[in-house]
Amino acid sequence: HDAHLRSANRLQELCFRNGGIYIKLGQHIAQLEYVLPQEYVQTMRESMLKRCPVSSYEEVRGVFKKEIGELPETVFAEFDPVPIASASLAQVHAATTHDGKKVAVKVQHDHLLDTSVIDIATVDLVVNALNYIFPTFDYRWLVDEIRESAPKELDFLCEAQNSERCLVNFRKLSPHIANSIYTPKVYWNLSTSRILTMEYIDAKEVTDVKGIKDLGIRPVDVSNLVNKAFAEMIFKHGFVHCDPHAANMMIRPLPQDSKKWFVLGLKRPQLVLLDHGLYKELDHATRINYASLWKALVRADQNGIKEYSIKLGAGEDLHALFAGVLTMRPWERVIDPSFGHLVLDGNNTDHSEMQMYANLYFPQISELLRRLPNVILLMLKTNDCLRAVNHALVGGSTPESFEIIARASSEAVFEAKRMEKRFFLYRFIIWLEELLNELHLFGMKLWLHYQQPRRILAG
């Protein structure tokens, strides 16, 4: 424990001193709960998401001068020199436009473009050297992912386009929850590749349980909304926000919502998604295979789990390990046919079991991560971020979360099947499959209703 903690603190200091890409790597480490000791994960998670180094106001003014040709105090009627948030690549300042609108201005850290290329090359050299000395320590995939995603994340105009496309996808492909998802409006005339001006959002951070309750919103409803939003993105849109950690999601009451939940007068939540720099697009085959795998995981279908794990690149020998990494459950729990077999309680036993498997199967996990395509690695990262958010909100994963995944993944699979062939007999068989699937989902709902009073009493 002491050695891990000492090393984690040294690694944290290295990331902060070098900044930029190194902090991005630290954020990745914060999500590798299934392969790294808890000391590394916890140290990075507590520091890399919210306490990143801050650029001086003079550096901010320099970026404005290079990008817009004017200083921030001229571009805006008011500009707060003290940032309200700082991340690995940029920091955010509150400002007011000349027509009186309050905005959030994201300003890239100075010299980041100049240093990012050499930083990636340096990390690449170190990781390759480590892999040469210790063959089982293979994190070259992490450098490959950073090399591919960094240029897109450093272009704030690309981020703005992702933000707008995300909202359009919900309106077109997921209208049933579109009103519950929001992205801040972009002020294109005040934005460049290194400065992004957006609507200022007054909301609570997604893991601020007390603040959310003070708004009259239940944390479990927030958890379910987050799970629905990302299930829709992954299984139906194929265009996924891959950095959904707590600092990138906010919650506010659904605007203009007159409905009250139950007799308690609870408000419905609206999820505000921030930081749209890191998105991944799943091609049709990958999206459907991934949806089919999750459908099989929820159903504890061993043959389906094996088939789609192989199709996604895990290989015949590591399909059970892949299922374990996705669900954070040992194989015997993954294939348990009971409805709640994938539910994580978030207790110390869960964490101890997870760390034991990480230690026991370290070489195999490293090999699995090497094999999987980058897009699936980012889905793993997304899962890990969402798992951490759910843990903060409800202490683990709720049974409802797997009902949400089961429904979204099944709908994506059946929609793809209907598009393949249009013969009457084939469509009739699909209809029967859907009927059986609905019966299974109905069984899950009954089980949830049975569990609800027990959970309330336990709480």
Side-chain angles (χ1 to χ4, degrees):
H1 169 77
D2 290 340
H4 285 324
L5 194 58
R6 185 170 63 250
S7 298
N9 285 328
R10 286 176 178 172
L11 188 59
Q12 177 197 60
E13 184 183 359
L14 178 144
C15 291
F16 277 156
R17 281 194 181 188
N18 288 281
I21 298 300
Y22 289 87
I23 293 177
K24 211 69 186 165
L25 285 165
Q27 290 176 348
H28 275 279
I29 289 170
Q31 307 303 335
L32 293 175
E33 205 165 12
Y34 49 82
V35 71
L36 291 177
Q38 191 63 25
E39 292 82 2
Y40 288 92
V41 173
Q42 206 57 41
T43 299
M44 296 301 172
R45 193 170 284 176
E46 288 172 358
S47 59
M48 295 291 157
L49 300 182
K50 298 178 185 176
R51 300 207 302 268
C52 293
V54 174
S55 295
S56 69
Y57 184 53
E58 282 308 308
E59 289 174 318
V60 170
R61 293 174 92 232
V63 173
F64 264 85
K65 195 67 177 173
K66 289 176 191 173
E67 290 294 302
I68 297 179
E70 296 182 69
L71 297 177
E73 53 265 36
T74 306
V75 175
F76 298 97
E78 294 178 20
F79 188 91
D80 190 345
V82 179
I84 55 176
S86 182
S88 56
L89 306 181
Q91 61 194 47
V92 180
H93 294 258
T96 306
T97 62
H98 287 290
D99 58 357
K101 292 175 182 172
K102 191 173 183 181
V103 293
V105 186
K106 184 174 179 178
V107 185
Q108 195 171 109
H109 295 309
D110 201 17
H111 304 304
L112 202 56
L113 278 173
D114 302 329
T115 60
S116 61
V117 174
I118 192 66
D119 284 347
I120 293 171
T122 304
V123 173
D124 189 32
L125 178 66
V126 171
V127 171
N128 274 286
L130 282 170
N131 178 244
Y132 180 78
I133 300 167
F134 306 104
T136 57
F137 188 92
D138 191 356
Y139 283 82
R140 290 173 293 178
W141 58 269
L142 189 53
V143 182
D144 291 340
E145 195 281 307
I146 290 285
R147 184 185 287 110
E148 182 183 331
S149 62
K152 296 175 184 175
E153 290 191 80
L154 289 169
D155 183 354
F156 290 172
L157 294 179
C158 178
E159 177 181 341
Q161 290 165 356
N162 289 343
S163 170
E164 293 193 344
R165 181 178 170 186
C166 171
L167 210 54
V168 168
N169 281 345
F170 274 102
R171 288 170 182 162
K172 287 185 176 179
L173 304 174
S174 307
H176 57 292
I177 63 165
N179 289 338
S180 299
I181 311 298
Y182 191 77
T183 63
K185 175 188 172 184
V186 175
Y187 291 82
W188 290 95
N189 60 320
L190 297 172
S191 299
T192 71
S193 60
R194 298 183 67 199
I195 296 171
L196 180 58
T197 304
M198 303 162 286
E199 170 188 5
Y200 186 90
I201 300 291
D202 184 15
K204 302 294 183 183
E205 190 175 286
V206 72
T207 53
D208 181 3
V209 174
K210 183 182 181 303
I212 288 168
K213 287 180 177 178
D214 289 344
L215 293 175
I217 298 170
R218 297 189 308 174
V220 67
D221 295 328
V222 174
S223 172
N224 289 338
L225 177 58
V226 169
N227 290 324
K228 283 178 186 176
F230 280 86
E232 294 288 318
M233 275 194 267
I234 293 168
F235 301 126
K236 295 183 181 178
H237 306 178
F239 186 65
V240 187
H241 187 313
C242 290
D243 202 14
H245 59 71
N248 287 342
M249 293 190 285
M250 302 182 81
I251 294 295
R252 64 184 182 182
L254 187 63
Q256 300 174 338
D257 183 23
S258 59
K259 292 185 178 180
K260 299 289 183 181
W261 282 17
F262 312 112
V263 293
L264 301 176
L266 294 169
K267 296 175 184 175
R268 293 193 293 177
Q270 184 180 60
L271 174 64
V272 182
L273 294 171
L274 308 175
D275 195 348
H276 299 264
L278 183 57
Y279 269 73
K280 206 68 179 179
E281 209 155 351
L282 284 74
D283 62 66
H284 178 77
T286 302
R287 179 172 64 85
I288 299 307
N289 285 333
Y290 192 63
S292 299
L293 174 58
W294 269 106
K295 179 173 174 282
L297 287 167
V298 174
R299 297 288 293 269
D301 174 8
Q302 293 188 53
N303 293 331
I305 293 169
K306 183 175 181 179
E307 178 187 351
Y308 293 105
S309 294
I310 292 171
K311 285 184 176 180
L312 289 168
E316 192 166 345
D317 55 329
L318 295 180
H319 76 277
L321 185 62
F322 184 34
V325 168
L326 276 171
T327 61
M328 304 302 278
R329 299 278 74 187
W331 179 246
E332 59 268 20
R333 285 290 301 274
V334 171
I335 59 174
D336 183 341
S338 63
F339 285 122
H341 67 296
L342 297 181
V343 175
L344 284 168
D345 295 328
N347 53 36
N348 290 331
T349 306
D350 277 339
H351 281 290
S352 300
E353 187 177 47
M354 197 160 43
Q355 289 296 303
M356 181 191 74
Y357 281 107
N359 182 53
L360 193 61
Y361 296 106
F362 180 82
Q364 291 91 334
I365 293 173
S366 292
E367 172 60 18
L368 174 67
L369 297 177
R370 187 193 65 78
R371 286 184 193 179
L372 293 172
N374 274 3
V375 66
I376 298 301
L377 292 174
L378 277 175
M379 292 305 103
L380 290 178
K381 181 196 173 188
T382 302
N383 285 346
D384 296 335
C385 289
L386 296 175
R387 194 177 287 117
V389 168
N390 279 318
H391 178 74
L393 285 168
V394 293
S397 60
T398 64
E400 291 96 333
S401 66
F402 290 103
E403 186 203 357
I404 290 164
I405 290 171
R407 182 166 294 282
S409 59
S410 298
E411 287 175 357
V413 170
F414 289 127
E415 179 62 28
K417 284 185 176 182
R418 281 193 294 270
M419 290 174 65
E420 282 177 12
K421 295 179 182 177
R422 303 186 182 277
F423 298 118
F424 172 76
L425 182 59
Y426 187 82
R427 293 177 74 86
F428 179 71
I429 293 170
I430 294 171
W431 179 80
L432 286 178
E433 287 181 15
E434 285 188 88
L435 183 62
L436 291 172
N437 189 67
E438 282 298 323
L439 288 173
H440 183 266
L441 291 174
F442 180 70
M444 286 186 75
K445 270 188 175 295
L446 288 179
W447 183 80
L448 285 172
H449 283 300
Y450 168 71
Q451 289 292 318
Q452 194 72 20
R454 296 176 63 186
R455 283 162 56 202
I456 292 171
L457 289 171

